[in-house]
Amino acid sequence: MPPLDYDDHKVSREADIGAPPCRNCDVVREIAFCAELSHDEIKRLATVRCHAHLPASFTVFREGDPADHVYSIAAGAVKLYKLLSDGRRQIIGFLFSGEMFGLGLDNGYAYTAETVTQTQLCRFTHRKLDSLLGDIPKLERKMFSMTVKDLIAAQEQMLLLGRKTAREKVATFLLKLSSRAEMQGLPASPIALPMSRADIADYLGLTIETVSRTFTQLKRDGIIGLPASGYVLLTDDKALRELAEGGGG
Amino acid sequence: MPPLDYDDHKVSREADIGAPPCRNCDVVREIAFCAELSHDEIKRLATVRCHAHLPASFTVFREGDPADHVYSIAAGAVKLYKLLSDGRRQIIGFLFSGEMFGLGLDNGYAYTAETVTQTQLCRFTHRKLDSLLGDIPKLERKMFSMTVKDLIAAQEQMLLLGRKTAREKVATFLLKLSSRAEMQGLPASPIALPMSRADIADYLGLTIETVSRTFTQLKRDGIIGLPASGYVLLTDDKALRELAEGGGG
DNA sequence: CGGTGGCTTGACTCTCCTCAATGTGGGTGG
DNA sequence: CCACCCACATTGAGGAGAGTCAAGCCACCG
């Protein structure tokens, strides 16, 4: 599908129209990088912010584009991926509300960002945000610690990609989604899989077929249930945990 | 081998004995996170620093240990790795002089750090360093940008681990080492491989045998040369580059 | 000189990929 | 309301790339 232009969508400069910052998402405020800021600081942050509602499968930016914005997810889900010249794809992360992306070096974005579901983003101009960082130490501190968290998650994913079997990869993936849901105050067990099998495969370094086969295999073994498309039931949490750590067969 | 205790080695608190900070390494000063600081700032940084000379294969810290220090490499090479319960290992990075490691969350270090060669480290108490960050904004900025760089490198490695073939993995690895050597002012072509085949395998998500076979195969194809153990000659840079990007067969 | 550790090479195995067919659910239009 | 379509998911058969197991090679070192 042809990528829609970002500006074709409702991008409102809320600071200009006096809307409350980071509206409709108290949970996000706790997690996102605008967390822990005073009312005044949030106000100043808002002066460099745009809000955007985007449909599913919308390309926010592409690998190599000039990296002039940083994004924070207010609601929805985003995937980040890198491509090889022949089309092979590696999804390097699924991001959800409260998470941040778009930090890059001078060579532009290191990955493509695309919405998974309908998504609400906060967009910050990199240059303007930079100038604020000096003034609001807490902000830089928060962004720093979020980046460290991302790095550690990336290292965890390297272990998965390099050393785990298909079964272990899927188990780890399901557990991560489950604990994420729990952190958001959602139930840990019937977890939602908003992404396609192809996305899961490209995230785990597998093929669609292997992901599908592994799901049915785990179901046959009574470890998970597949109540409806897009949902997974974690029937045997303990077995799943053992699998994920390389313990169980 | 039984891990030697860190304190068994020459760990001198140089600030106390008045030694010049970050001695014997002008190049490192340019790259390391003490770069871009004023003389006075480096002096203050030195008050929280220890210097250590470590032998090869020395475990600096283990995954799960309380993360109370941050390290900067003055000279030598360090590998960071994670283990699965059954011993499978994933090396998540080889670090060289000027690079930093040890940033962790509250749950302790996320990986084990071990020297590859004889190594000189600067060690900073996390707590003390933290208190300096507020005073020296440039320092936090530098550490932040280094972490972003690490994150992007980790994402690049995910692409490698998840989607590249053995040949492509090895080609990418050699090119990365080559460009690193070049950045250090060393020749780009006869590059040194200070790490063992086992380390390379665990870094690339392969086995020792596959790494070895791939090396000889690339040599047979006239793409590399193996003049001596521990060294690789990049004979056909162009072919190597195409391979690394998934282009050439 | 024999022992040791690291590297290479070979034969065989197996997990996961490839290719292909079939199934399924949601949306559209007659 | 049903037939059709389409994208996505599942399932199957066969093959390939990398892993496993095992032997041999080489340099180094006591």
Side-chain angles (χ1 to χ4, degrees):
Chain A
M1 91 200 51
L4 306 164
D5 189 293
Y6 192 91
D7 290 323
D8 287 351
H9 288 79
K10 284 182 290 182
V11 179
S12 58
R13 186 175 293 273
E14 288 186 351
D16 294 347
I17 61 175
C22 284
R23 67 174 171 206
N24 81 8
C25 235
D26 287 336
V27 180
V28 172
R29 286 274 298 278
E30 297 304 315
I31 308 164
F33 68 124
C34 42
E36 297 164 24
L37 298 184
S38 72
H39 190 74
D40 183 57
E41 287 165 339
I42 290 182
K43 227 171 178 171
R44 286 163 69 198
L45 191 56
T47 62
V48 300
R49 197 195 63 215
C50 286
H51 207 81
H53 292 240
L54 303 174
S57 299
F58 179 81
T59 300
V60 181
F61 57 75
R62 285 175 204 285
E63 183 177 349
D65 284 356
D68 31 41
H69 292 93
V70 177
Y71 298 82
S72 178
I73 303 177
V78 170
K79 64 192 176 201
L80 310 180
Y81 61 84
K82 294 171 77 71
L83 293 172
L84 290 174
S85 50
D86 61 359
R88 276 175 287 172
R89 187 178 68 151
Q90 178 66 42
I91 292 184
I92 59 178
F94 290 111
L95 305 187
F96 301 90
S97 43
E99 300 192 88
M100 171 184 83
F101 64 96
L103 290 178
L105 302 177
D106 300 333
N107 352 356
Y109 292 117
Y111 45 77
T112 301
E114 189 179 323
T115 58
V116 175
T117 60
Q118 192 179 335
T119 299
Q120 294 177 40
L121 293 180
C122 288
R123 187 173 77 166
F124 302 88
T125 306
H126 200 116
R127 192 174 43 76
K128 289 181 184 170
L129 191 59
D130 251 21
S131 67
L132 271 185
L133 286 188
D135 297 349
I136 312 177
K138 257 186 297 185
L139 181 60
E140 177 157 28
R141 200 53 85 85
K142 182 68 184 174
M143 288 180 67
F144 189 5
S145 79
M146 287 177 81
T147 305
V148 170
K149 204 180 99 289
D150 287 349
L151 179 58
I152 288 172
Q155 292 165 345
E156 192 70 43
Q157 189 71 359
M158 284 193 235
L159 176 62
L160 178 146
L161 290 170
R163 288 296 177 223
K164 290 187 182 177
T165 65
R167 236 172 123 82
E168 291 164 355
K169 284 177 175 180
V170 171
T172 308
F173 174 66
L174 291 176
L175 282 172
K176 188 151 80 177
L177 276 190
S178 172
S179 72
R180 231 208 65 79
E182 230 174 352
M183 278 196 335
Q184 296 268 319
L186 299 170
S189 175
I191 56 175
L193 294 189
M195 65 290 288
S196 68
R197 291 286 187 272
D199 282 349
I200 297 173
D202 283 347
Y203 181 56
L204 300 178
L206 299 171
T207 57
I208 302 176
E209 294 93 328
T210 301
V211 171
S212 185
R213 270 187 262 269
T214 307
F215 269 118
T216 42
Q217 192 184 320
L218 288 175
K219 181 185 173 184
R220 198 166 36 238
D221 297 350
I223 296 177
I224 65 170
L226 300 169
S229 130
Y231 288 90
V232 176
L233 200 67
L234 307 193
T235 315
D236 191 343
D237 207 70
K238 187 160 160 289
L240 210 57
R241 238 168 263 282
E242 274 176 11
L243 245 182
E245 301 309 318
Chain B
M1 93 199 47
L4 307 163
D5 189 292
Y6 192 91
D7 289 323
D8 287 351
H9 287 80
K10 287 181 288 182
V11 177
S12 59
R13 185 176 294 272
E14 290 187 350
D16 295 346
I17 61 175
C22 284
R23 69 176 170 205
N24 79 9
C25 237
D26 286 336
V27 181
V28 172
R29 287 273 298 276
E30 298 303 315
I31 308 163
F33 68 126
C34 43
E36 297 164 25
L37 298 183
S38 72
H39 190 75
D40 183 56
E41 287 165 341
I42 290 183
K43 228 170 177 173
R44 287 164 68 198
L45 191 55
T47 63
V48 300
R49 196 194 65 214
C50 287
H51 206 81
H53 293 241
L54 304 173
S57 300
F58 179 81
T59 300
V60 182
F61 56 74
R62 285 175 204 284
E63 185 177 348
D65 285 354
D68 33 40
H69 292 93
V70 177
Y71 298 81
S72 178
I73 304 176
V78 170
K79 64 192 177 203
L80 311 180
Y81 61 84
K82 293 171 77 72
L83 293 171
L84 289 174
S85 51
D86 60 359
R88 277 175 285 171
R89 186 178 70 149
Q90 179 65 43
I91 291 185
I92 59 178
F94 291 111
L95 305 186
F96 302 90
S97 43
E99 300 192 88
M100 170 184 84
F101 63 96
L103 289 178
L105 301 177
D106 300 332
N107 353 355
Y109 293 117
Y111 44 77
T112 301
E114 188 178 324
T115 58
V116 175
T117 60
Q118 192 178 336
T119 299
Q120 294 178 39
L121 293 180
C122 289
R123 188 173 75 167
F124 302 88
T125 307
H126 201 115
R127 191 173 43 76
K128 289 182 184 169
L129 191 60
D130 250 19
S131 67
L132 270 185
L133 286 188
D135 297 350
I136 312 177
K138 257 186 296 186
L139 182 59
E140 176 156 29
R141 197 57 81 88
K142 182 68 184 173
M143 288 181 67
F144 188 7
S145 79
M146 287 177 79
T147 305
V148 170
K149 204 180 101 292
D150 288 350
L151 178 58
I152 288 171
Q155 291 164 344
E156 192 71 43
Q157 190 70 358
M158 284 193 236
L159 175 63
L160 178 146
L161 290 170
R163 288 296 178 223
K164 290 187 181 178
T165 65
R167 236 172 122 82
E168 292 164 355
K169 284 177 175 180
V170 171
T172 308
F173 174 66
L174 291 177
L175 283 172
K176 190 151 80 176
L177 275 190
S178 172
S179 72
R180 230 206 66 79
E182 229 174 352
M183 279 197 333
Q184 296 267 320
L186 299 169
S189 177
I191 55 176
L193 294 189
M195 66 290 289
S196 68
R197 291 286 187 270
D199 281 350
I200 297 173
D202 284 346
Y203 182 57
L204 300 178
L206 298 171
T207 57
I208 302 177
E209 294 93 329
T210 300
V211 170
S212 184
R213 271 187 263 268
T214 306
F215 269 118
T216 42
Q217 193 184 317
L218 288 175
K219 180 185 174 187
R220 198 167 39 235
D221 297 350
I223 296 178
I224 64 170
L226 301 169
S229 131
Y231 288 89
V232 176
L233 200 67
L234 307 193
T235 315
D236 190 343
D237 207 70
K238 187 160 158 292
L240 211 57
R241 236 166 265 283
E242 274 175 11
L243 245 181
E245 300 310 318

